[in-house]
Coordinates of all heavy atoms in Angstrom, one line a residue:
M1 N -103.8 43.0 43.4 CA -104.2 44.3 43.0 C -105.7 44.3 42.6 O -106.1 43.4 42.0 CB -103.4 44.8 41.7 CG -103.8 46.1 41.2 SD -103.1 46.7 39.7 CE -101.8 45.6 39.2
I2 N -106.4 45.3 43.1 CA -107.8 45.5 42.8 C -107.9 46.8 42.0 O -107.4 47.8 42.4 CB -108.6 45.5 44.0 CG1 -108.5 44.1 44.7 CG2 -110.1 45.8 43.7 CD1 -109.2 44.1 46.0
K3 N -108.6 46.8 40.9 CA -108.8 48.0 40.1 C -110.3 48.5 40.2 O -111.2 47.7 40.0 CB -108.5 47.7 38.6 CG -107.1 47.3 38.4 CD -106.9 47.0 36.9 CE -105.4 46.5 36.8 NZ -105.2 46.0 35.4
A4 N -110.4 49.7 40.6 CA -111.7 50.4 40.7 C -111.7 51.7 40.0 O -110.8 52.5 40.2 CB -112.1 50.6 42.2
H5 N -112.6 51.8 39.0 CA -112.5 53.0 38.1 C -113.7 54.0 38.3 O -113.6 55.1 37.8 CB -112.5 52.6 36.7 CG -111.2 51.8 36.3 ND1 -110.0 52.5 36.2 CD2 -111.0 50.5 36.1 CE1 -109.1 51.6 35.9 NE2 -109.7 50.4 35.8
S6 N -114.7 53.6 39.0 CA -115.9 54.6 39.1 C -116.1 54.9 40.5 O -115.8 54.1 41.5 CB -117.1 53.9 38.5 OG -117.6 52.9 39.3
P7 N -116.8 56.0 40.8 CA -117.2 56.4 42.2 C -118.0 55.2 42.8 O -117.9 55.0 44.0 CB -118.0 57.6 42.0 CG -117.5 58.3 40.7 CD -117.2 57.1 39.9
R8 N -118.9 54.6 42.0 CA -119.7 53.5 42.6 C -118.8 52.4 43.1 O -119.1 51.7 44.1 CB -120.6 53.0 41.5 CG -121.5 51.8 42.0 CD -122.5 51.4 40.9 NE -123.0 50.1 41.2 CZ -124.1 49.9 41.9 NH1 -124.7 50.9 42.5 NH2 -124.5 48.6 42.1
S9 N -117.7 52.1 42.4 CA -116.8 51.0 42.8 C -116.3 51.3 44.2 O -116.1 50.4 45.0 CB -115.7 50.9 41.8 OG -116.1 50.4 40.6
F10 N -115.9 52.6 44.4 CA -115.4 52.9 45.7 C -116.4 52.9 46.8 O -116.1 52.6 48.0 CB -114.7 54.3 45.7 CG -113.5 54.4 44.8 CD1 -113.5 54.9 43.5 CD2 -112.3 53.8 45.3 CE1 -112.4 54.9 42.8 CE2 -111.2 53.8 44.5 CZ -111.2 54.4 43.2
Q11 N -117.7 53.1 46.5 CA -118.8 53.0 47.4 C -119.2 51.6 47.7 O -119.5 51.3 48.9 CB -120.0 53.8 46.9 CG -119.7 55.3 46.8 CD -120.8 56.1 46.1 OE1 -121.7 55.5 45.5 NE2 -120.7 57.4 46.1
T12 N -119.3 50.8 46.7 CA -119.9 49.4 46.9 C -118.9 48.3 47.0 O -119.2 47.2 47.5 CB -120.8 49.1 45.7 OG1 -120.0 49.0 44.5 CG2 -121.9 50.1 45.5
G13 N -117.7 48.6 46.6 CA -116.6 47.6 46.6 C -116.7 46.7 45.4 O -115.9 45.7 45.3
E14 N -117.6 46.9 44.5 CA -117.6 46.1 43.2 C -116.5 46.5 42.4 O -116.2 47.7 42.2 CB -118.9 46.4 42.5 CG -120.2 45.9 43.3 CD -121.5 46.3 42.5 OE1 -121.4 46.7 41.4 OE2 -122.5 46.2 43.2
V15 N -115.8 45.5 41.8 CA -114.6 45.7 41.0 C -114.7 44.9 39.7 O -115.4 43.9 39.7 CB -113.3 45.4 41.7 CG1 -113.1 46.3 42.9 CG2 -113.3 43.9 42.1
A16 N -114.0 45.4 38.7 CA -114.1 44.7 37.4 C -113.1 43.5 37.4 O -113.3 42.5 36.7 CB -113.8 45.7 36.3
A17 N -112.0 43.6 38.1 CA -111.0 42.6 38.1 C -110.2 42.6 39.3 O -110.0 43.6 40.0 CB -110.1 42.8 36.9
T18 N -109.7 41.4 39.7 CA -108.8 41.3 40.8 C -107.6 40.4 40.3 O -107.8 39.4 39.7 CB -109.5 40.5 42.0 OG1 -110.7 41.2 42.3 CG2 -108.6 40.4 43.2
D19 N -106.4 40.9 40.6 CA -105.2 40.2 40.2 C -104.5 39.6 41.4 O -104.0 40.4 42.2 CB -104.3 41.2 39.4 CG -103.1 40.5 38.9 OD1 -102.9 39.3 39.1 OD2 -102.2 41.2 38.3
Y20 N -104.4 38.3 41.5 CA -103.8 37.7 42.6 C -102.3 37.3 42.2 O -101.7 36.5 42.9 CB -104.5 36.4 43.1 CG -105.8 36.8 43.8 CD1 -107.0 36.9 43.2 CD2 -105.7 37.1 45.2 CE1 -108.1 37.3 43.9 CE2 -106.8 37.5 45.9 CZ -108.0 37.6 45.2 OH -109.1 38.0 46.0
G21 N -101.8 37.8 41.1 CA -100.4 37.5 40.8 C -100.3 36.3 39.9 O -101.3 35.7 39.4
P22 N -99.0 35.8 39.8 CA -98.8 34.6 38.9 C -99.5 33.4 39.5 O -99.7 33.2 40.7 CB -97.3 34.4 39.0 CG -96.7 35.6 39.7 CD -97.8 36.3 40.4
V23 N -99.9 32.5 38.6 CA -100.6 31.3 38.9 C -99.6 30.1 38.9 O -98.9 30.0 37.9 CB -101.7 31.0 38.0 CG1 -102.4 29.7 38.3 CG2 -102.7 32.2 38.0
D24 N -99.5 29.3 40.0 CA -98.6 28.2 40.0 C -99.4 27.0 40.4 O -99.7 26.8 41.6 CB -97.5 28.5 41.0 CG -96.5 27.3 41.2 OD1 -96.6 26.3 40.3 OD2 -95.7 27.3 42.1
F25 N -99.8 26.2 39.4 CA -100.5 24.9 39.7 C -99.6 23.7 39.7 O -100.1 22.6 39.6 CB -101.7 24.8 38.7 CG -102.7 25.8 38.7 CD1 -103.3 26.3 37.6 CD2 -103.1 26.4 39.9 CE1 -104.3 27.2 37.6 CE2 -104.1 27.4 40.0 CZ -104.7 27.8 38.8
H26 N -98.3 23.9 39.7 CA -97.4 22.8 39.6 C -97.6 21.8 40.7 O -97.7 22.1 41.9 CB -95.9 23.3 39.7 CG -94.9 22.2 39.6 ND1 -94.6 21.6 38.5 CD2 -94.2 21.7 40.6 CE1 -93.7 20.6 38.8 NE2 -93.4 20.7 40.1
G27 N -97.8 20.5 40.3 CA -98.0 19.4 41.3 C -99.4 19.3 41.8 O -99.7 18.5 42.7
V28 N -100.3 20.1 41.3 CA -101.7 20.0 41.7 C -102.5 19.3 40.7 O -102.6 19.7 39.5 CB -102.3 21.5 41.9 CG1 -103.8 21.4 42.4 CG2 -101.5 22.2 42.9
P29 N -103.2 18.2 41.1 CA -104.0 17.5 40.1 C -105.2 18.4 39.6 O -105.7 19.1 40.4 CB -104.6 16.3 40.9 CG -103.7 16.1 42.1 CD -103.2 17.5 42.4
P30 N -105.5 18.3 38.3 CA -106.5 19.2 37.8 C -107.9 19.1 38.5 O -108.6 20.1 38.7 CB -106.7 18.7 36.3 CG -105.4 18.1 36.0 CD -104.9 17.5 37.3
D31 N -108.2 17.9 39.0 CA -109.5 17.8 39.7 C -109.5 18.4 41.1 O -110.5 18.4 41.8 CB -109.9 16.3 39.8 CG -109.0 15.4 40.6 OD1 -107.8 15.8 40.8 OD2 -109.5 14.4 41.2
R32 N -108.3 18.9 41.6 CA -108.2 19.5 42.9 C -108.1 21.0 42.8 O -107.9 21.7 43.8 CB -107.0 18.9 43.6 CG -107.1 17.5 43.9 CD -108.3 17.1 44.7 NE -108.4 15.7 44.8 CZ -109.1 15.1 45.8 NH1 -109.8 15.8 46.6 NH2 -109.2 13.8 45.8
L33 N -108.1 21.6 41.6 CA -108.1 23.0 41.5 C -109.4 23.6 42.0 O -110.4 23.0 42.0 CB -107.9 23.4 40.0 CG -106.6 23.0 39.3 CD1 -106.6 23.3 37.8 CD2 -105.4 23.7 40.0
P34 N -109.3 24.9 42.6 CA -110.5 25.5 43.1 C -111.5 25.8 42.0 O -111.1 26.1 40.9 CB -110.0 26.7 43.8 CG -108.7 27.0 43.2 CD -108.1 25.7 42.7
P35 N -112.8 25.9 42.3 CA -113.7 26.4 41.3 C -113.5 27.8 40.9 O -112.9 28.6 41.7 CB -115.1 26.2 42.0 CG -114.9 25.4 43.2 CD -113.4 25.5 43.6
P36 N -113.9 28.2 39.7 CA -113.7 29.6 39.3 C -114.2 30.6 40.3 O -115.3 30.5 40.9 CB -114.5 29.7 38.0 CG -114.5 28.3 37.5 CD -114.6 27.5 38.7
G37 N -113.4 31.6 40.6 CA -113.7 32.7 41.6 C -113.3 32.4 43.0 O -113.5 33.2 43.9
L38 N -112.8 31.1 43.3 CA -112.5 30.8 44.6 C -111.0 30.5 44.7 O -110.3 30.4 43.7 CB -113.2 29.5 45.1 CG -114.7 29.7 45.3 CD1 -115.4 28.4 45.7 CD2 -115.0 30.8 46.3
C39 N -110.5 30.3 45.9 CA -109.1 30.0 46.2 C -109.0 28.7 47.0 O -110.0 28.3 47.6 CB -108.4 31.1 46.9 SG -108.1 32.6 45.9
R40 N -107.8 28.2 47.1 CA -107.5 27.0 47.9 C -106.1 27.1 48.4 O -105.2 27.4 47.6 CB -107.7 25.7 47.0 CG -107.5 24.5 47.8 CD -107.8 23.3 46.9 NE -108.3 22.2 47.7 CZ -108.9 21.2 47.3 NH1 -109.2 21.0 46.0 NH2 -109.3 20.2 48.1
V41 N -105.9 26.8 49.6 CA -104.5 26.6 50.2 C -104.0 25.3 49.8 O -104.7 24.3 50.0 CB -104.5 26.8 51.7 CG1 -103.1 26.6 52.3 CG2 -105.1 28.2 52.1
W42 N -102.8 25.2 49.2 CA -102.2 23.9 48.9 C -101.0 23.7 49.7 O -100.0 24.5 49.7 CB -101.8 23.9 47.4 CG -101.5 22.5 46.9 CD1 -100.3 22.0 46.8 CD2 -102.4 21.5 46.6 NE1 -100.4 20.7 46.4 CE2 -101.7 20.4 46.2 CE3 -103.8 21.4 46.6 CZ2 -102.3 19.2 45.9 CZ3 -104.4 20.2 46.2 CH2 -103.6 19.1 45.8
L43 N -101.0 22.7 50.5 CA -99.9 22.4 51.4 C -99.0 21.3 50.8 O -99.4 20.2 50.5 CB -100.4 21.9 52.8 CG -101.4 22.8 53.4 CD1 -102.1 22.1 54.6 CD2 -100.7 24.1 53.9
E44 N -97.7 21.7 50.6 CA -96.7 20.7 50.1 C -96.6 19.5 51.0 O -96.6 19.6 52.2 CB -95.4 21.4 49.8 CG -95.4 22.6 48.9 CD -96.0 22.3 47.5 OE1 -95.8 21.2 47.0 OE2 -96.7 23.1 47.0
G45 N -96.5 18.3 50.4 CA -96.3 17.1 51.2 C -97.6 16.5 51.7 O -97.5 15.5 52.4
V46 N -98.7 17.2 51.5 CA -100.0 16.7 52.0 C -100.7 16.0 50.9 O -100.8 16.6 49.8 CB -100.8 17.8 52.6 CG1 -102.2 17.3 53.0 CG2 -100.1 18.4 53.8
P47 N -101.2 14.8 51.0 CA -101.9 14.1 49.9 C -103.1 15.0 49.4 O -103.7 15.7 50.2 CB -102.5 12.8 50.5 CG -101.6 12.6 51.7 CD -101.2 14.0 52.2
P48 N -103.4 14.9 48.1 CA -104.5 15.7 47.5 C -105.8 15.6 48.3 O -106.5 16.6 48.4 CB -104.6 15.2 46.1 CG -103.2 14.7 45.8 CD -102.7 14.1 47.1
D49 N -106.2 14.4 48.7 CA -107.5 14.2 49.4 C -107.5 14.8 50.8 O -108.5 14.8 51.5 CB -107.9 12.8 49.4 CG -106.9 11.9 50.1 OD1 -105.7 12.2 50.2 OD2 -107.4 10.8 50.5
R50 N -106.3 15.3 51.3 CA -106.2 15.8 52.7 C -106.0 17.3 52.7 O -105.8 17.9 53.7 CB -105.1 15.1 53.5 CG -105.1 13.6 53.5 CD -106.0 13.1 54.5 NE -105.5 13.6 55.8 CZ -106.2 13.4 56.9 NH1 -107.3 12.8 57.0 NH2 -105.7 13.9 58.1
Q51 N -106.1 17.9 51.5 CA -105.9 19.4 51.4 C -107.1 20.1 51.9 O -108.2 19.6 51.8 CB -105.6 19.8 49.9 CG -104.3 19.2 49.3 CD -103.1 19.8 49.9 OE1 -103.1 20.9 50.4 NE2 -102.0 19.1 49.8
P52 N -106.9 21.4 52.4 CA -108.0 22.2 52.8 C -109.0 22.4 51.6 O -108.6 22.4 50.4 CB -107.4 23.5 53.2 CG -106.0 23.2 53.5 CD -105.6 22.1 52.6
P53 N -110.3 22.6 51.9 CA -111.3 22.8 50.8 C -111.1 24.2 50.2 O -110.6 25.1 50.8 CB -112.6 22.6 51.5 CG -112.3 23.1 52.9 CD -110.9 22.6 53.2
P54 N -111.7 24.3 49.0 CA -111.8 25.7 48.3 C -112.6 26.6 49.2 O -113.5 26.2 50.0 CB -112.5 25.4 47.0 CG -112.3 24.0 46.7 CD -112.2 23.3 48.1
M55 N -112.2 27.9 49.2 CA -112.9 28.9 50.0 C -112.7 30.3 49.4 O -112.1 30.4 48.4 CB -112.3 28.9 51.4 CG -110.8 29.2 51.4 SD -110.0 28.9 53.0 CE -109.8 27.1 53.1
K56 N -113.4 31.3 50.0 CA -113.2 32.6 49.5 C -111.7 33.0 49.6 O -111.0 32.5 50.6 CB -114.0 33.6 50.4 CG -115.5 33.5 50.2 CD -116.2 34.5 51.1 CE -117.7 34.3 50.9 NZ -118.5 35.2 51.8
C57 N -111.2 33.8 48.7 CA -109.8 34.1 48.7 C -109.3 34.8 49.9 O -108.2 34.5 50.4 CB -109.5 34.9 47.4 SG -109.7 33.9 45.9
R58 N -110.1 35.7 50.5 CA -109.8 36.4 51.7 C -109.5 35.3 52.8 O -108.5 35.4 53.6 CB -110.9 37.3 52.1 CG -110.8 38.0 53.4 CD -111.9 38.9 53.8 NE -113.2 38.3 53.4 CZ -114.1 38.9 52.7 NH1 -113.9 40.1 52.2 NH2 -115.3 38.3 52.4
D59 N -110.4 34.3 52.9 CA -110.2 33.3 53.9 C -109.0 32.4 53.6 O -108.3 32.0 54.6 CB -111.5 32.4 54.0 CG -112.7 33.2 54.4 OD1 -112.5 34.3 55.1 OD2 -113.8 32.8 54.1
A60 N -108.7 32.1 52.4 CA -107.6 31.3 52.0 C -106.3 32.0 52.4 O -105.4 31.3 52.8 CB -107.6 31.0 50.5
H61 N -106.2 33.3 52.1 CA -105.0 34.0 52.5 C -104.8 34.0 54.0 O -103.6 33.9 54.5 CB -105.0 35.4 51.9 CG -104.7 35.4 50.4 ND1 -103.5 35.3 49.9 CD2 -105.6 35.6 49.4 CE1 -103.5 35.3 48.6 NE2 -104.8 35.5 48.3
A62 N -105.8 34.1 54.8 CA -105.7 34.1 56.2 C -105.2 32.7 56.7 O -104.4 32.6 57.5 CB -107.0 34.5 56.9
A63 N -105.8 31.6 56.1 CA -105.4 30.3 56.4 C -104.0 30.0 56.0 O -103.2 29.4 56.8 CB -106.4 29.3 55.7
Q64 N -103.6 30.5 54.9 CA -102.2 30.4 54.4 C -101.2 31.0 55.4 O -100.1 30.5 55.6 CB -102.0 30.9 53.0 CG -100.7 30.7 52.4 CD -99.7 31.8 52.5 OE1 -100.1 33.0 52.8 NE2 -98.5 31.6 52.4
R65 N -101.6 32.2 55.9 CA -100.7 32.8 56.9 C -100.5 32.0 58.1 O -99.4 32.0 58.8 CB -101.2 34.2 57.2 CG -100.9 35.2 56.1 CD -101.2 36.7 56.6 NE -102.6 36.9 56.9 CZ -103.6 37.2 56.0 NH1 -103.2 37.3 54.7 NH2 -104.8 37.5 56.4
R66 N -101.5 31.2 58.5 CA -101.5 30.4 59.7 C -100.7 29.1 59.5 O -100.0 28.6 60.3 CB -102.9 30.1 60.2 CG -103.6 31.2 60.8 CD -104.9 30.8 61.5 NE -105.8 30.1 60.6 CZ -106.8 30.6 59.9 NH1 -106.9 31.9 59.9 NH2 -107.5 29.9 59.1
S67 N -101.0 28.5 58.3 CA -100.5 27.1 58.1 C -99.4 27.0 57.0 O -98.8 25.9 56.9 CB -101.7 26.2 57.7 OG -102.2 26.6 56.5
G68 N -99.1 28.0 56.3 CA -98.1 27.9 55.2 C -98.7 27.5 53.9 O -99.9 27.6 53.7
G69 N -97.9 27.0 53.1 CA -98.4 26.5 51.8 C -98.5 27.7 50.8 O -97.9 28.7 51.0
R70 N -99.3 27.4 49.7 CA -99.5 28.5 48.7 C -101.0 28.6 48.4 O -101.7 27.6 48.6 CB -98.7 28.2 47.5 CG -99.0 26.9 46.8 CD -98.1 26.6 45.7 NE -98.1 25.1 45.4 CZ -98.1 24.6 44.2 NH1 -98.2 25.3 43.1 NH2 -98.1 23.3 44.1
V71 N -101.4 29.7 48.0 CA -102.8 29.9 47.6 C -103.0 29.8 46.1 O -102.3 30.4 45.3 CB -103.3 31.3 48.1 CG1 -104.7 31.6 47.6 CG2 -103.2 31.5 49.6
L72 N -103.9 28.9 45.8 CA -104.2 28.7 44.4 C -105.5 29.5 44.1 O -106.4 29.5 44.8 CB -104.5 27.2 44.1 CG -103.5 26.2 44.5 CD1 -104.0 24.8 44.2 CD2 -102.2 26.4 43.7
F73 N -105.5 30.3 43.0 CA -106.6 31.1 42.6 C -107.0 30.7 41.2 O -106.2 30.6 40.3 CB -106.2 32.6 42.6 CG -107.3 33.4 42.0 CD1 -108.5 33.6 42.6 CD2 -107.0 34.1 40.8 CE1 -109.5 34.4 42.0 CE2 -108.0 34.9 40.2 CZ -109.2 35.1 40.9
M74 N -108.3 30.5 41.0 CA -108.9 30.2 39.7 C -109.8 31.3 39.3 O -110.8 31.6 40.0 CB -109.7 28.9 39.8 CG -110.3 28.5 38.5 SD -109.0 28.1 37.2 CE -108.3 26.6 37.8
P75 N -109.3 32.1 38.3 CA -110.1 33.3 37.9 C -111.5 32.9 37.5 O -111.8 31.9 36.9 CB -109.4 33.8 36.7 CG -108.0 33.2 36.8 CD -108.2 31.9 37.5
A76 N -112.5 33.8 37.9 CA -113.9 33.6 37.5 C -114.0 34.0 36.0 O -113.3 34.9 35.5 CB -114.8 34.4 38.4
S77 N -114.9 33.4 35.3 CA -115.1 33.7 33.9 C -116.3 34.6 33.7 O -116.7 34.9 32.6 CB -115.3 32.4 33.1 OG -116.5 31.8 33.6
D78 N -116.9 35.2 34.8 CA -118.1 36.0 34.6 C -117.9 37.5 34.6 O -118.8 38.3 34.7 CB -119.1 35.7 35.8 CG -118.5 36.0 37.1 OD1 -117.3 36.2 37.2 OD2 -119.3 36.1 38.1
L79 N -116.6 37.9 34.4 CA -116.3 39.3 34.3 C -116.6 39.9 32.9 O -116.4 39.3 31.9 CB -114.9 39.6 34.7 CG -114.5 39.2 36.1 CD1 -113.0 39.5 36.3 CD2 -115.3 40.0 37.1

């Protein structure tokens, strides 16, 4: 869900918050979580060092549709 409250938000696409739903980091080593503001596709049964790299969330969702797995999202702290 994306929340936009001002006319400028609708013009520029700038938003105050993005909600990617519940967070499930079960089985993911802490050092493999994506950096704040990015996402990562996590493939079950694939070793941590062979997982796809962190990327923009739009790209991660497209990759997840192709390869399966789940998308990990780490909220940014700059809002």
Side-chain angles (χ1 to χ4, degrees):
M1 172 185 356
I2 297 176
K3 298 177 183 176
H5 293 286
S6 72
R8 179 177 163 85
S9 294
F10 292 104
Q11 293 169 349
T12 65
E14 295 175 12
V15 296
T18 305
D19 181 2
Y20 286 95
V23 177
D24 178 12
F25 295 145
H26 178 75
V28 179
D31 66 333
R32 299 300 175 159
L33 294 173
L38 292 179
C39 289
R40 180 177 212 160
V41 176
W42 193 262
L43 304 170
E44 300 303 324
V46 175
D49 61 336
R50 306 276 302 169
Q51 296 289 338
M55 59 189 79
K56 292 180 181 178
C57 293
R58 172 181 45 232
D59 298 335
H61 284 283
Q64 185 265 341
R65 284 191 295 277
R66 289 189 304 271
S67 62
R70 59 186 157 136
V71 175
L72 306 176
F73 170 67
M74 182 61 69
S77 60
D78 62 343
L79 296 178

